[in-house]
């Protein structure tokens, strides 16, 4: 970590110079250094304080020297936009481990020279000097040691620091001659001619090494103590220009190895992308079908929809469940191979993560559950609608039969020519009719209520129902009005009439309610019913038995009514009463009473038979419930037990990994052999659905629970097998012995006290200490442990899996390639150029890998490029996920 306040208060300069004056003596050097990098982006700066005030070129400089993209800059000219850009640059510097103290974006925007130059010096230290490493020394000490090693053979050169040791210019000339002897005739140089030496070195470096003039020879000679920061910055450019040559053959081999791994991984990524796309596309096509809630008008059509849904569950979905499981296995295998080859984790295309697949699958299962519930509800609704429609037709038919001829009867004017006795009879008859009319009011209200319910349940033939209901209501209102009108006419005439036949009236009054009772009884006996349990049918049977118990009393009432009629006949015969026609007070006659009574007696045994048959059907439904429950209560716990056993197997150590893998595969085979019992349970479930059974009090398991548990069991055993395969892959790739792997597993299991398959942070720390890692309780130990946790738990979940633990332990002893190593290898093949040509790749690499590189390398855009130049630097970083390939 670098602190800016320390940099501002340190440094070397001439006698009597303050820290500020030393810093301000370096603008020329810092400007030249910045331009040497900004030139690659096609821009320059003139005044280091002014040109960095808006933050745009400062952000561009950081992108060029780091090779990373910063946040999008603000293009406005307002002060707030400039402060925002500078803050983005300062945040990026801080993210690289540089501690900026006593500086803010406002100072840079205000052109504060002290702060601006101090910030540039911090950037130079971090990106040009910090990474220099020579014989276990780094940064300033490493750069000084490198200069001493390179100039050791040269006379009159003694590099001890970065100020007075360079005043005579021989140190610069020695570095150039050591690496490019053809550029300088070192033997002709003289120690007493520093101006010539310095100008020679500066000119040659600018012309042949692409190092700009960052120092002025006259300033260096005339200053008692040259600016240490300026000299260090300039010398670091020599280091970067000359360091790091290796043999071309080693570089080519390393590239071949890296490319082979990358090609294999790319193929696995393409396979994953295709499988994920196909599965998501199937889900995308299937969900709209499951979300289609267009109802059908008939029970047969809805039953066909239910059968189609069963075919989907039985035939179409199981292969997709297997594809989803295979997708997760492929993804885990690919991630393991990427970790083993020190590649970044594979990030699928947007929307194709395993979590996205699981979310989409969850949406599919949610739609599937909703669709099944909707189908069953629709079937219940249609069943209810059919029942209500039949009930409506029966009640409407009975009412229409009753009202037939009533309007014509009420409109007769027979009272105008009738005798007194006939008028009295007409009046009583009308009173009986009004009593009958009131008795039928309840039926009319029932008809209207049923029609309203059919409308609310969206019955498909509602228009015809509504029309018939409206006719009945209109006719009922008309009957009421006509009845009132006739009653008023009879009452006006009643004052003139005084005779009445009491027996006829009594017959009418008693026959009307009895007749209405018989009609209601016939209606009830013919009424359809729907039940779902034995208790419900037993309730109907009890009510029917209670009705039958009332029949003797009803028969007594019938005999009494017939006795009244017989008494009337006796009186007529005895007193020779002139009684033309039937009873004037009612249309009911003994023959009709006897006929309806016989009809009631005939309907009773038919109702008995219907109840007996329904009772038998409910007993069969109860048998189906128990049959399903007996199997489900065995299969459900069996699945749970197997899940627990797999969990124990995954953390236990018995034999080699191959033995564990063989055991798991045998275990998987035994699970798959259990599938016929699941299929048998599916068959029983279909029988239950066909019988329209919607609940089962004998078990808490539904077919949906069993299906989900079975799919989770298959996925868990497959995932566990995949984890063992990945452990074998890790062991073989990293050269880990079985004993080491057993030791790792034993340590992991020892500290995994809750048997969860993961270690918490403290458990993981204790495990590392038990394996010999030196992790103290001081600040250094905490920092080291934080670094290790960032490797094994990159997602900051707070736990470490066994696979992550194995990867870390294998990585500690393995030698892996890095992007810098690959880049250095390409530079060797390119002859120290910043770009490489296609012919050079074809000459040094195998044909297929050379063409692989040519096809993926971007054109080189640097100022020193030539036609056909390729950018191997961005290609190398892309191989390790540091940029886009």
């Amino acid at each position: 970590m670098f602190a800016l306040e320390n940099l501002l208060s340190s440094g070397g300069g001439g006698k009597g110079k303050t820290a500020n004056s030393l810093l301000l003596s370096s603008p020329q050097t810092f400007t030249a250094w910045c331009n040497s990098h900004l030139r690659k982006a096609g821009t320059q700066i003139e005044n280091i304080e002014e040109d960095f005030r808006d933050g745009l070129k400062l952000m561009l400089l950081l992108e060029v020297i780091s090779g990373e993209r910063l946040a999008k800059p603000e293009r406005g000219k307002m002060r707030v936009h400039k402060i925002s850009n500078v803050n983005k640059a300062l945040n990026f510097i801080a993210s690289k481990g540089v501690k900026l103290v006593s500086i803010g974006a406002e100072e840079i925007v205000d052109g504060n020279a002290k702060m601006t130059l101090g910030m540039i010096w911090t950037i130079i230290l971090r990106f040009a000097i910090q990474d220099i490493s020579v014989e276990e020394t780094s940064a300033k000490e490493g750069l000084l040691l490198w200069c001493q090693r390179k100039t050791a053979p040269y006379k009159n050169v003694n590099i001890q620091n970065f100020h007075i040791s360079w005043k005579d210019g021989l140190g610069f000339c020695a570095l150039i001659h050591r690496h490019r002897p053809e550029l300088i005739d070192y033997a002709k140089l003289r120690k007493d001619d520093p101006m010539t030496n310095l100008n020679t070195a500066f000119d040659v470096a600018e012309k042949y090494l692409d190092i700009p003039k960052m120092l002025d020879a006259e300033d260096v000679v005339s200053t008692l103590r040259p600016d240490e920061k300026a000299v260090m910055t300039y010398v670091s450019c020599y280091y970067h220009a000359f360091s790091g040559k290796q043999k071309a053959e080693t570089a080519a081999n390393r590239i071949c190895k890296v490319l082979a791994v990358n090609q294999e991984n790319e193929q696995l990524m393409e396979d994953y992308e295709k499988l994920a796309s196909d599965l998501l596309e199937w889900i995308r096509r299937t969900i709209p079908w499951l979300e289609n809630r267009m109802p059908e008008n008939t029970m047969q059509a809805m039953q066909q929809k239910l059968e189609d849904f069963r075919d989907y569950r039985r035939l179409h979905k199981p292969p997709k469940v297997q594809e989803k499981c295979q997708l997760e296995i492929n993804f885990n295998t690919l991630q393991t191979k990427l970790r083993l080859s020190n590649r970044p984790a594979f990030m699928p295309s947007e929307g194709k993560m395993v979590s996205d697949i699981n979310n989409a699958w969850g949406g599919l299962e949610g739609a599937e559950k909703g669709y099944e519930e909707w189908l069953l509800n629709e079937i219940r609704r249609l069943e209810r609608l059919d029942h209500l429609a039949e009930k409506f037709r029966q009640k409407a038919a009975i009412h229409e039969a009753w009202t037939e001829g009533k309007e014509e009867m009420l409109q007769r004017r027979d009272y105008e020519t009738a005798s007194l006795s006939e008028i009295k009879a007409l009046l009583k008859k009308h009173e009986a009719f009004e009593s009958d009319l009131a008795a039928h009011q309840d039926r009319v209200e029932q008809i209207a209520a049923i029609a309203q319910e059919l409308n609310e349940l969206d019955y498909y033939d509602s228009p015809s129902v509504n029309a018939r209901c409206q006719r009945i209501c209109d006719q009922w209102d008309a009957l009421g009005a006509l009845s009132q009108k006739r009653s008023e006419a009879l009452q006006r005439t009643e004052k003139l009439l005084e005779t009445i036949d009491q027996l006829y009236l009594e017959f009418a009054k008693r026959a009307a309610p009895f007749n209405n009772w018989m009609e209601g009884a016939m209606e009830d006996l013919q009424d359809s019913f729907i039940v779902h349990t034995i208790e419900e049918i037993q309730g109907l049977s009890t009510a029917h038995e209670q009705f039958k118990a009332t029949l003797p009393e009803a028969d007594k009432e019938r005999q009494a009514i017939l006795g009244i009629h017989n008494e009337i006949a006796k009186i007529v015969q005895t007193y020779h009463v002139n009684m033309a026609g039937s009873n004037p007070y009612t249309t009911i006659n003994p023959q009709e009473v006897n006929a309806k009574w016989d009809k009631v007696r005939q309907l009773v045994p038919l109702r008995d038979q219907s109840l007996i048959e329904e009772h038998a059907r409910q007993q069969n439904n109860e048998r189906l419930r128990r049959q399903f429950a007996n199997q489900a209560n065995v299969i459900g716990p069996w699945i749970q037990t197997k899940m627990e056993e797999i969990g124990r197997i995954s953390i236990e150590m018995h034999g080699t990994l191959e033995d564990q893998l063989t055991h798991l595969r045998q275990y998987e085979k035994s699970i798959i052999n259990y599938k016929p019992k699941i299929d048998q349970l599916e068959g029983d479930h279909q029988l239950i659905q066909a019988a329209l059974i919607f609940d089962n009090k004998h078990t808490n398991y539904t077919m949906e629970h069993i299906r989900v548990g079975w799919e989770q069991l298959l996925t868990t055993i497959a995932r566990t097998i995949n984890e063992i395969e990945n452990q074998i892959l890790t062991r073989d790739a990293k050269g880990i012995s079985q004993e080491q792997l057993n030791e790792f597993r034993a340590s992991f299991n020892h500290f995994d006290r809750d048997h969860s398959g993961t270690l918490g942070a403290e458990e993981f720390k204790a495990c590392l200490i038990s394996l010999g890692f030196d992790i103290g309780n001081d600040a250094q130990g905490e920092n080291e442990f934080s670094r290790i946790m960032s490797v094994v738990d990159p997602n900051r979940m707070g736990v470490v899996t066994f696979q992550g633990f194995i990867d870390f332990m294998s990585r500690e002893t393995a030698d892996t390639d890095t992007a810098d190593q690959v880049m250095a290898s390409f530079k060797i093949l390119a002859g120290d150029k910043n770009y490489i040509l296609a012919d050079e790749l074809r000459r040094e690499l195998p044909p297929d890998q050379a063409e692989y590189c040519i096809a993926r390398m971007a054109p080189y855009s640097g100022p020193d490029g030539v036609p056909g130049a390729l950018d191997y630097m961005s290609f190398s970083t892309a191989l390790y996920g540091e940029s886009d390939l």
Side-chain angles (χ1 to χ4, degrees):
M1 301 278 288
F2 300 101
L4 180 56
E5 62 180 4
N6 296 333
L7 295 171
L8 295 178
S9 62
S10 65
K15 181 182 294 185
K17 285 189 176 185
T18 66
N20 292 347
S21 65
L22 289 176
L23 188 57
L24 293 174
S25 67
S26 305
Q28 175 186 347
T29 303
F30 290 176
T31 301
W33 184 86
C34 292
N35 283 334
S36 69
H37 293 284
L38 288 173
R39 185 169 60 245
K40 300 175 183 177
T43 186
Q44 296 280 284
I45 62 173
E46 298 294 337
N47 186 305
I48 200 166
E49 297 91 4
E50 293 296 327
D51 290 350
F52 283 153
R53 289 180 63 180
D54 61 2
L56 293 175
K57 290 187 177 180
L58 178 59
M59 294 178 70
L60 183 60
L61 173 64
L62 290 172
E63 289 183 346
V64 172
I65 63 178
S66 67
E68 300 181 25
R69 295 291 296 176
L70 274 66
K72 184 177 180 181
E74 303 288 345
R75 296 294 180 180
K77 300 297 185 180
M78 298 176 66
R79 175 179 175 85
V80 67
H81 297 146
K82 298 177 181 180
I83 291 175
S84 175
N85 290 336
V86 175
N87 272 327
K88 292 176 181 177
L90 294 178
N91 291 338
F92 178 78
I93 295 172
S95 71
K96 298 302 181 181
V98 178
K99 183 179 180 183
L100 298 172
V101 181
S102 302
I103 188 170
E106 292 80 359
E107 287 87 347
I108 305 302
V109 174
D110 292 338
N112 188 313
K114 170 185 173 181
M115 294 302 176
T116 303
L117 293 176
M119 178 185 64
I120 297 301
W121 174 236
T122 302
I123 293 174
I124 293 172
L125 276 179
R126 173 59 184 84
F127 294 100
I129 297 176
Q130 178 186 341
D131 294 335
I132 295 175
S133 178
V134 178
E135 296 186 6
E136 299 183 356
T137 62
S138 61
K140 178 180 177 181
E141 292 76 13
L143 182 60
L144 183 61
L145 180 60
W146 178 79
C147 294
Q148 291 171 344
R149 292 281 191 270
K150 296 300 180 180
T151 60
Y154 294 87
K155 64 180 180 178
N156 298 327
V157 178
N158 183 18
I159 306 300
Q160 296 299 325
N161 49 55
F162 287 107
H163 37 83
I164 61 176
S165 295
W166 303 86
K167 283 176 63 67
D168 58 10
L170 291 178
F172 296 113
C173 293
L175 287 177
I176 295 174
H177 185 267
R178 179 64 182 268
H179 295 90
R180 297 288 299 274
E182 76 279 6
L183 298 180
I184 293 180
D185 189 355
Y186 189 82
K188 294 182 179 182
L189 301 177
R190 304 197 321 274
K191 186 175 180 64
D192 57 0
D193 189 6
M195 288 293 294
T196 300
N197 298 339
L198 289 168
N199 284 324
T200 298
F202 296 163
D203 292 341
V204 170
E206 183 177 35
K207 183 176 181 180
Y208 296 102
L209 303 179
D210 197 25
I211 299 175
K213 288 184 179 181
M214 300 183 184
L215 302 174
D216 183 86
E218 185 177 350
D219 289 344
V220 174
V221 173
S222 62
T223 303
L224 181 62
R225 180 186 173 94
D227 186 355
E228 184 180 40
K229 299 176 180 59
V231 174
M232 192 184 305
T233 301
Y234 187 62
V235 173
S236 70
C237 295
Y238 281 71
Y239 173 84
H240 290 297
F242 294 132
S243 62
K245 289 192 176 183
Q246 296 181 9
K247 293 182 180 180
E249 180 180 355
T250 302
N253 290 337
R254 185 180 297 275
I255 292 171
C256 292
K257 174 185 174 183
V258 171
L259 294 179
V261 172
N262 211 64
Q263 288 171 313
E264 180 183 359
N265 290 341
E266 283 185 354
Q267 184 59 48
L268 290 174
M269 294 175 190
E270 292 175 2
D271 294 342
Y272 174 89
E273 290 281 342
K274 183 178 184 306
L275 187 57
S277 297
D278 293 344
L279 186 56
L280 287 172
E281 176 60 20
W282 178 81
I283 294 174
R284 185 190 65 78
R285 294 196 312 269
T286 304
I287 287 180
W289 174 68
L290 294 173
E291 292 179 342
N292 180 15
R293 300 294 190 272
M294 182 63 68
E296 300 291 345
N297 293 331
T298 64
M299 180 71 76
Q300 182 179 1
M302 289 305 300
Q303 289 285 4
Q304 183 59 47
K305 279 183 177 287
L306 181 61
E307 186 61 31
D308 294 341
F309 180 71
R310 289 171 181 162
D311 289 341
Y312 155 80
R313 277 266 182 80
R314 185 174 59 252
L315 303 176
H316 303 297
K317 185 182 177 185
K320 297 303 177 181
V321 173
Q322 183 61 33
E323 287 181 14
K324 176 176 176 292
C325 178
Q326 188 62 44
L327 185 72
E328 295 181 5
I329 292 173
N330 292 350
F331 181 83
N332 292 335
T333 301
L334 173 59
Q335 298 293 40
T336 299
K337 290 185 176 181
L338 289 172
R339 285 194 299 270
L340 293 176
S341 60
N342 199 26
R343 273 22 173 219
F346 169 54
M347 291 298 293
S349 301
E350 184 177 357
K352 297 180 182 178
M353 294 286 292
V354 172
S355 60
D356 296 324
I357 303 295
N358 289 334
N359 290 337
W361 190 265
L364 174 71
E365 292 186 332
E368 179 179 310
K369 181 179 179 182
Y371 186 68
E372 184 178 27
E373 292 175 354
W374 175 78
L375 283 176
L376 297 178
N377 289 335
E378 275 298 300
I379 290 175
R380 295 190 191 102
R381 185 180 71 86
L382 289 176
E383 185 180 33
R384 173 67 176 166
L385 284 174
D386 290 344
H387 170 70
L388 287 174
E390 180 60 26
K391 193 171 185 179
F392 175 84
R393 287 190 289 270
Q394 288 183 0
K395 288 184 177 292
I398 293 173
H399 176 77
E400 288 167 347
W402 178 83
T403 59
E404 184 177 359
K406 293 295 188 295
E407 291 187 29
E408 180 182 355
M409 182 269 292
L410 291 173
Q411 292 174 344
R412 293 175 186 169
R413 304 179 66 86
D414 50 352
Y415 55 86
E416 295 178 348
T417 57
S419 63
L420 181 62
S421 60
E422 290 172 343
I423 292 299
K424 288 289 185 179
L426 288 176
L427 183 60
K428 296 302 181 180
K429 180 180 179 181
H430 186 69
E431 290 176 356
F433 168 77
E434 288 183 330
S435 176
D436 198 10
L437 186 68
H440 280 78
Q441 175 69 32
D442 182 63
R443 180 178 288 114
V444 174
E445 292 176 353
Q446 290 177 4
I447 292 172
I450 294 173
Q452 178 64 27
E453 187 172 0
L454 287 171
N455 278 277
E456 292 174 352
L457 294 177
D458 196 21
Y459 182 52
Y460 77 97
D461 198 23
S462 292
S464 65
V465 170
N466 293 336
R468 191 173 184 181
C469 180
Q470 188 63 45
R471 288 195 302 270
I472 290 173
C473 292
D474 292 343
Q475 186 184 37
W476 183 256
D477 294 337
L479 286 175
L482 291 172
S483 178
Q484 180 66 25
K485 183 178 180 180
R486 183 174 178 84
S487 177
E488 292 173 353
L490 290 173
Q491 288 175 4
R492 285 193 302 268
T493 312
E494 184 181 14
K495 295 179 181 180
L496 304 175
L497 304 175
E498 296 179 350
T499 195
I500 185 169
D501 190 344
Q502 292 295 337
L503 289 176
Y504 269 122
L505 181 60
E506 183 181 357
F507 177 89
K509 288 182 177 181
R510 295 185 67 173
F514 184 71
N515 179 71
N516 191 52
W517 175 86
M518 288 192 296
E519 289 180 348
M522 288 188 293
E523 181 180 344
D524 291 339
L525 290 171
Q526 297 178 84
D527 190 15
S528 59
F529 53 84
I530 176 172
V531 295
H532 297 288
T533 64
I534 291 180
E535 290 77 8
E536 292 177 355
I537 191 63
Q538 287 175 345
L540 290 177
S541 298
T542 300
H544 183 62
E545 292 299 324
Q546 292 173 352
F547 168 76
K548 290 181 358 182
T550 64
L551 290 178
E553 288 296 325
D555 190 41
K556 291 180 180 180
E557 178 65 13
R558 181 181 67 87
Q559 296 292 342
I561 293 171
L562 294 178
I564 294 173
H565 178 75
N566 293 334
E567 183 66 20
I568 292 172
K570 182 178 179 182
I571 291 174
V572 169
Q573 184 178 9
T574 301
Y575 297 99
H576 304 286
V577 177
N578 183 16
M579 295 293 298
S582 61
N583 191 328
Y585 304 116
T586 180
T587 60
I588 302 172
N589 54 60
Q591 293 78 15
E592 184 178 353
V593 171
N594 286 329
K596 289 183 177 180
W597 176 256
D598 293 340
K599 180 66 175 178
V600 169
R601 298 298 298 270
Q602 293 171 5
L603 289 175
V604 168
L606 295 179
R607 184 70 167 186
D608 289 336
Q609 183 63 29
S610 297
L611 292 172
I612 291 172
E613 291 174 355
E614 181 60 27
H615 189 274
R617 189 175 76 87
Q618 290 302 323
Q619 285 181 326
N620 182 64
N621 288 352
E622 183 68 11
R623 180 186 62 79
L624 291 176
R625 288 189 183 96
R626 292 182 181 277
Q627 180 175 324
F628 177 86
N630 291 338
Q631 295 187 72
N633 290 335
V634 173
I635 293 175
W638 181 87
I639 291 176
Q640 182 63 32
T641 300
K642 294 301 178 183
M643 291 286 288
E644 295 172 355
E645 290 177 357
I646 292 173
R648 288 196 299 271
I649 292 174
S650 65
I651 62 174
E652 293 176 351
M653 284 190 311
H654 296 296
T656 65
L657 290 176
E658 286 77 5
D659 294 338
Q660 296 178 35
L661 184 61
T662 300
H663 179 57
L664 281 171
R665 284 177 173 159
Q666 292 174 350
Y667 203 79
E668 180 184 35
K669 184 177 180 181
S670 69
I671 291 175
I672 294 174
N673 290 338
Y674 202 77
K675 183 65 165 58
K677 295 186 178 180
I678 303 295
D679 295 337
Q680 183 180 356
L681 190 63
E682 282 281 6
D684 291 343
H685 179 63
Q686 292 183 14
L687 292 176
I688 284 178
Q689 287 190 327
L692 300 179
I693 300 173
F694 303 112
D695 53 10
N696 193 339
K697 64 182 180 181
H698 303 297
T699 180
N700 292 326
Y701 292 99
T702 65
M703 196 62 227
E704 182 65 23
H705 293 151
I706 299 299
R707 291 193 197 102
V708 171
W710 177 252
E711 292 172 0
Q712 289 178 346
L713 179 61
L714 294 178
T715 301
T716 300
I717 187 63
R719 186 183 297 113
T720 304
I721 290 174
N722 178 247
E723 289 176 355
I724 297 299
E725 291 174 341
N726 286 339
Q727 291 177 24
I728 294 174
L729 185 61
T730 302
R731 182 198 65 191
D732 295 342
K734 297 299 184 177
I736 301 174
S737 66
Q738 184 64 44
E739 291 74 15
Q740 287 178 303
L741 201 60
N742 289 341
E743 181 184 358
F744 294 158
R745 169 56 84 178
S747 298
F748 188 90
N749 289 346
H750 176 74
F751 291 97
D752 181 17
R753 293 183 173 87
D754 58 356
H755 304 293
S756 64
T758 59
L759 296 181
E762 292 302 321
E763 293 174 335
F764 178 56
K765 184 176 182 180
C767 182
L768 290 179
I769 293 174
S770 72
L771 291 172
F773 282 80
D774 185 12
I775 301 176
N777 292 324
D778 53 5
Q780 181 178 358
E782 291 299 325
N783 291 337
E784 174 62 13
F785 182 66
S786 296
R787 181 192 67 80
I788 294 175
M789 281 299 292
S790 68
V791 173
V792 298
D793 182 23
N795 295 325
R796 300 183 183 276
M797 301 298 292
V799 296
V800 180
T801 64
F802 181 66
Q803 185 61 44
F805 175 71
I806 290 296
D807 290 343
F808 169 74
M809 295 304 297
S810 61
R811 193 182 298 115
E812 288 298 303
T813 58
D815 181 23
T816 58
D817 298 310
T818 67
D820 290 339
Q821 291 173 328
V822 175
M823 197 182 304
S825 300
F826 273 119
K827 191 165 187 177
I828 292 172
L829 297 185
D832 268 347
K833 297 191 298 296
N834 292 329
Y835 58 85
I836 194 168
L837 300 175
D839 291 341
E840 291 173 334
L841 289 171
R842 293 190 177 100
R843 181 176 66 248
E844 300 294 346
L845 300 179
D848 59 332
Q849 295 184 340
E851 296 304 324
Y852 177 84
C853 293
I854 293 169
R856 285 163 174 76
M857 281 188 184
Y860 180 70
S861 59
D864 54 340
V866 298
L870 301 174
D871 187 355
Y872 62 79
M873 294 183 183
S874 62
F875 175 76
S876 299
T877 58
L879 288 175
Y880 290 87
E882 299 174 11
S883 64
D884 296 330
L885 186 58

